[in-house]
Each structure stands twice: as C-alpha cells, then as structure tokens.
Amino acid sequence: MHKILVTGGTGFIGSHTVVELLNAGYDVDIIDNLCNSKAAVIDQIEKITSKKPTLYKLDLLEREKLNEIFENNQYDTVLHFAGLKAVAESVENPLLYYHANLGTTINLVESMLAHNVNKIIFSSSATVYGEQDSPECFENMQTGSGITNPYGRTKYMIEEILKDVCIAHPDFSVTLLRYFNPIGNHPSGLIGEDPNGIPNNIMPVITRVATGKLSELQIFGNDYDTPDGTCQRDFIHVEDLARGHTCAINHIHPGIQIYNLGTGRPNSVLELVNAFGKISGHEIPYTITNRRPGDLAAVWANPSRANTELGWKAKLTIEDAIRDTLKFLNLRK
C-alpha cells in the first residue's frame, strides 16, 4: 500500500483524514509544527485505528530538514493541509500569512520535485470564489476576484502556483479540494476541533459558550437577505470531508483536478445555534452585532462533480455533527 505524507496532520481536518487513511490501509507520516494543534492527537489516532503515524515536528519553512524527510522516505502522494487560517489575523498581519502559506507550499513542492514525488492533494477553500453573482459555487467559476482577506488570497495564489507547476511538469498531478464549512468531530469522541488560542470557526465558539468559557456568542448581522437574516453556509461534517480525501487519492492523474467538498444544502448561523441548543440541552446566549466586513449573505457548494467523478457524497447532517461534537466535549445532558 502507498505511503502518504500529510502536512498539518495533527490539525482538525488533517487528523480526521489521517484516521481515514490509516483505516483504508495506507502508511502515513505527518509533518506539523504544532502551532495550532497538539502532539497528543497522535496517541488518540492510535486508539482509534490501532496504528500510529510517524510525526515529524517540523516547520515546512525548514528546507534542509524537509529535504531529509523526503530523502529517507518514498512517498506516493502528499496531502497538504498545513497553513495559517485565521481570517482576522490575516487582515492584521498579511505578511505573516503570505510568508507562511506561500513559502511553505513552495518549499514543499520543490522537495517533492527533487525527490520524484508528483502527486499532491491541496486543502483549498471556498474563499477562492470570492463574490459571485450566485451563492451556489461551481468549480468552473472564475476565482480570485472579490476575495476579501489575505487568508483567502493565499489559497487562491497557491492554487495558481500549483496550476503553473503542472504546466511546467506535465507528469505532476494536483487535486484541489475546495472546502466549505467543516464542523463536527470523530464519532469516537477521541479527536475533534480543539484549536489553540481564540477559535476562528463557529462551532468551537459555540462550544466555549456552552462550557462557560465564553459568556455569549456574537452573531455578525441579522439583516441579510436570507430566511432568518443571518448568513447561510454549507456546513459539512468533518468525517464526510475526510472521506473525500481518500476518494480523491483513488482518482489522481496528471494535471489539475478541482472538486467542491460540501453538502449543497445551506444552513443559517441561527439554525446551527438553535440546533446545538436543542440537541445539547445547553442554551446558547447570543447577541446580534454589526455585520463583519467581507461576509457574504449566502455561500454553498454544488458538489455534483465530486459526486460523479469521485463517487463521494456528504452523508451526515448538522445534527450528526453536533452530536459528535458533544461526545468529544462530554457535554450532552
């Protein structure tokens, strides 16, 4: 079975994908600098799968150490999750994001080319679509226009870099997986979304309110042109998202492949909050504040290409994601 290198493999999405890969029989190595994750995740992965991936604690900007890892291993495919991802932080410190996200990717691809590793699956984002006339996103839409923050622009720029590498190296294979809004945790309760510092995604903010670590949730605007006035997003269970990567590995071929990974079913922020309160028994106090700059009223995936070409489809609901989150946090009453 092929050996896979996963960058950012102890993070939220990376760790769930590593579990999927190990359960599918792949041999997995992880590179992670642990800036937004914990090494203890490796032990939890082993409890779930009875297999322990190798962790290299390393920043991808450390070029010599990165090359040593490639020299000592023969990888078939690289899954690239590593990167900074806080939208607000990227606005405050754009150079940090351009240096980290672009620099690490360039180093990684250079090491891959130098060691004849020519398959990469990149953890991209729906942010590359920017502002569109339609809230439903298709892979053939123009990207790059109307992106409202440096984080999103780094995702777009990395996509363009990888496309150019494919032109220069015809045997190079790139799969771009554009995520929408991952939520949930592994059903075992052993791994989940547990960011260091201030969380950026909505679910860990909700759970910190539920556990009393935060007093209330801020909902940014309730005057959007949506059924309840709050933003609509395509919330996808992280288990479905992780499974999409194993499907993508089976369909890699030279050139560029692009897939949306989403449910195609939008839910509003308020729907998610109310569902969490109902299922958990923990009422989530919230206040409505001003709209956040750059937030779009509604965005969701058209996942039909992934459904058809990868044989992948999101199966789980936001209610499933909430139940698995509660299991991870031991919160359910």
Side-chain angles (χ1 to χ4, degrees):
M1 183 57 79
H2 299 312
K3 191 171 189 178
I4 309 292
L5 175 65
V6 180
T7 74
T10 60
F12 173 42
I13 302 171
S15 62
H16 286 80
T17 303
V18 168
V19 168
E20 285 288 320
L21 293 170
L22 291 171
N23 283 338
Y26 292 102
D27 188 8
V28 179
D29 286 356
I30 294 172
I31 292 178
D32 205 306
N33 66 2
L34 304 179
C35 74
N36 196 35
S37 59
K38 300 172 178 67
V41 167
I42 298 295
D43 294 330
Q44 301 297 78
I45 291 172
E46 186 179 19
K47 288 178 184 176
I48 296 169
T49 65
S50 300
K51 301 172 187 175
K52 189 168 188 175
T54 299
L55 171 63
Y56 295 100
K57 186 183 176 184
L58 179 76
D59 193 304
L60 292 173
L61 292 172
E62 299 177 77
R63 186 189 298 262
E64 290 185 8
K65 292 181 180 179
L66 179 61
N67 276 322
E68 284 179 16
I69 292 171
F70 275 94
E71 286 167 8
N72 293 325
N73 297 277
Q74 183 54 56
Y75 297 115
D76 178 77
T77 305
V78 175
L79 272 60
H80 183 31
F81 295 94
L84 301 178
K85 63 174 187 175
V87 170
E89 183 184 47
S90 78
V91 174
E92 295 167 2
N93 197 346
L95 292 179
L96 172 67
Y97 272 66
Y98 289 120
H99 181 65
N101 292 1
L102 299 184
T104 54
T105 302
I106 291 168
N107 274 4
L108 177 64
V109 174
E110 285 180 341
S111 289
M112 289 175 63
L113 291 171
H115 296 89
N116 298 312
V117 181
N118 61 7
K119 299 175 185 175
I120 185 169
I121 296 174
F122 174 56
S123 169
S124 192
S125 166
T127 58
V128 302
Y129 290 113
E131 295 186 49
Q132 301 282 350
D133 293 333
S134 166
E136 185 177 18
C137 296
F138 296 80
E139 291 92 344
N140 60 0
M141 283 178 165
Q142 181 181 351
T143 56
S145 177
I147 299 175
T148 56
N149 56 77
Y151 159 74
R153 279 189 281 275
T154 64
K155 290 293 188 183
Y156 167 71
M157 290 176 182
I158 290 169
E159 284 197 0
E160 295 301 298
I161 289 169
L162 294 173
K163 289 175 184 177
D164 287 338
V165 171
C166 278
I167 293 170
H169 300 272
D171 60 342
F172 203 71
S173 303
V174 172
T175 301
L176 306 176
L177 298 182
R178 293 174 179 163
Y179 307 161
F180 280 69
N181 295 80
I183 58 173
N185 297 280
H186 193 271
S188 67
L190 291 172
I191 60 172
E193 188 170 16
D194 187 21
N196 297 336
I198 299 171
N200 305 297
N201 297 335
I202 187 168
M203 189 64 94
V205 177
I206 291 173
T207 59
R208 290 188 186 195
V209 174
T211 55
K213 294 178 182 176
L214 293 173
S215 60
E216 62 183 13
L217 171 73
Q218 288 187 321
I219 296 178
F220 299 102
N222 66 346
D223 57 350
Y224 287 96
D225 185 17
T226 60
D228 63 19
T230 64
C231 292
Q232 287 183 312
R233 294 293 181 263
D234 190 335
F235 295 107
I236 177 172
H237 197 301
V238 68
E239 284 285 281
D240 279 330
L241 192 60
R243 192 167 43 81
H245 293 75
T246 56
C247 293
I249 286 174
N250 295 327
H251 290 80
I252 292 178
H253 53 81
I256 291 277
Q257 291 83 49
I258 305 172
Y259 300 102
N260 288 334
L261 293 185
T263 67
R265 302 182 302 272
N267 289 100
S268 74
V269 169
L270 204 51
E271 284 176 323
L272 183 65
V273 172
N274 290 337
F276 189 97
K278 182 178 179 180
I279 293 170
S280 69
H282 293 263
E283 184 178 348
I284 304 300
Y286 64 84
T287 57
I288 305 295
T289 63
N290 294 330
R291 290 187 182 192
R292 196 165 47 182
D295 274 352
L296 303 177
V299 180
W300 65 84
N302 182 302
S304 57
R305 180 182 288 180
N307 298 165
T308 302
E309 296 183 15
L310 300 182
W312 171 89
K313 188 173 184 178
K315 299 176 181 177
L316 302 170
T317 65
I318 62 169
E319 289 79 13
D320 293 322
I322 291 166
R323 292 186 189 99
D324 290 336
T325 298
L326 294 172
K327 191 177 295 183
F328 175 63
L329 295 167
N330 196 25
L331 260 181
R332 193 166 187 178
K333 286 185 175 179

